[in-house]
Amino acid sequence: MRVFSQCGNRVLMSLLALSAFSTVSARSSLAQERADASPVSLGDRWEFLVAPYVLFPYMSGTTTIRGIETEVSANPGDIFSRLQFGAMLYLEARNSVWAVTLDGLYMSLEQTGRLGATEVGVKQGMVEATGYRRVIPWLEVLAGGRLNVIAGEIEVLPTAGPMLLQVDRTKTWFDPFIGARASVPAGSKWLFVLRADIGGFGVGSNFAWQIYPVVSYRFSNLFGLALAYRVLSMDYESGSGTDLFKYDVTTFGPELGFLFHF
């Protein structure tokens, strides 16, 4: 029975790592699309952004479930081949000084194992809220929090008998973060942005960091596109011994956002 349990744990740990990119996926890229970086009065009008997005992540690191550690190495093909359902949406309200963003993501992944009739399912959700304050025409400071929820289940029906092995695990953690965002417009259509932040601080993750360059183009008053490349690292740990859960993974790769301005 232990070989089935270990096999299931390894498959689950890989899926947990694959899904976790969403704990941070395109929220900054879409947030960083700016129409005007010049300062105006605090009373100027607010603008709104609605932006669905697509992720193309690579992942590298280790995960541990119930004390069993597994190395993580994944590419976009690994994730999309296991995706059952996914929804990603970014919202922003801003004026020339203040900005408030909300990003939500949900993914359901599934894989059938090789030993016995093994099925592994992972559901992952993320909600992130961020506030920005422009301090000089090209620079904003930011602070916010990110709530991560990962739920996984393993079902193994051994070929040698009818007994069903079922293991499930849910982990939730919250990461506060602080950082800055620099914006450099090029004409009226192009915008180049660089965001960096650090977080966790032992509240959720022991430490988390992100570097995120973005290029966006505004086709009209209503529509634009954003292309970004994100590098995000999270080191989260809870429990000990056979109850140890650890997620120490760096996620990196491009993303594409579809920007609708109001």
Side-chain angles (χ1 to χ4, degrees):
M1 181 63 65
R2 180 170 177 77
V3 66
F4 292 112
S5 177
Q6 290 182 346
C7 173
N9 273 320
R10 289 179 179 275
V11 175
L12 175 57
M13 287 184 284
S14 297
L15 283 177
L16 288 175
L18 291 175
S19 67
F21 177 68
S22 6
T23 54
V24 288
S25 73
R27 49 192 172 277
S28 281
S29 154
L30 308 175
Q32 292 161 350
E33 206 283 341
R34 281 287 195 276
D36 185 2
S38 63
V40 296
S41 68
L42 288 173
D44 69 333
R45 71 183 184 89
W46 286 79
E47 297 180 356
F48 302 92
L49 176 67
V50 177
Y53 56 88
V54 182
L55 315 172
F56 303 92
Y58 295 81
M59 307 186 74
S60 178
T62 59
T63 60
T64 302
I65 296 178
R66 298 193 183 280
I68 301 175
E69 182 177 289
T70 295
E71 190 170 325
V72 176
S73 180
N75 59 54
D78 296 325
I79 294 176
F80 288 114
S81 66
R82 296 167 172 83
L83 183 65
Q84 301 297 304
F85 177 78
M88 306 162 197
L89 182 65
Y90 173 88
L91 305 172
E92 179 171 352
R94 65 174 181 251
N95 62 20
S96 63
V97 177
W98 299 96
V100 179
T101 67
L102 184 66
D103 184 59
L105 178 147
Y106 175 83
M107 295 180 70
S108 177
L109 305 174
E110 186 174 296
Q111 176 172 303
T112 300
R114 295 179 179 176
L115 293 179
T118 304
E119 288 190 357
V120 179
V122 173
K123 294 179 175 62
Q124 190 268 338
M126 181 275 298
V127 176
E128 180 191 88
T130 308
Y132 297 80
R133 172 65 160 89
R134 190 175 298 278
V135 291
I136 55 178
W138 56 272
L139 183 66
E140 298 164 281
V141 294
L142 65 90
R146 183 180 309 122
L147 180 66
N148 302 286
V149 181
I150 298 178
E153 182 178 81
I154 306 171
E155 290 186 358
V156 181
L157 181 60
T159 56
M163 185 172 61
L164 174 67
L165 170 66
Q166 184 173 17
V167 179
D168 56 66
R169 192 72 181 268
T170 300
K171 279 295 175 182
T172 302
W173 73 93
F174 176 80
D175 284 336
F177 55 82
I178 58 174
R181 181 171 70 178
S183 306
V184 180
S188 60
K189 300 291 187 179
W190 291 95
L191 183 69
F192 301 90
V193 177
L194 177 63
R195 167 176 166 161
D197 59 70
I198 58 174
F201 309 120
V203 177
S205 299
N206 295 322
F207 188 68
W209 60 270
Q210 178 178 222
I211 298 176
Y212 194 22
V214 182
V215 177
S216 64
Y217 183 83
R218 190 160 181 169
F219 293 92
S220 67
N221 289 335
L222 175 64
F223 180 70
L225 286 176
L227 180 63
Y229 194 94
R230 179 190 300 274
V231 181
L232 173 72
S233 180
M234 291 189 293
D235 181 7
Y236 172 77
E237 181 177 336
S238 68
S240 61
T242 57
D243 195 44
L244 177 64
F245 176 88
K246 186 172 183 179
Y247 179 86
D248 186 5
V249 174
T250 298
T251 303
F252 54 96
E255 69 181 46
L256 178 65
F258 304 91
L259 315 177
F260 297 92
H261 302 267
F262 301 95

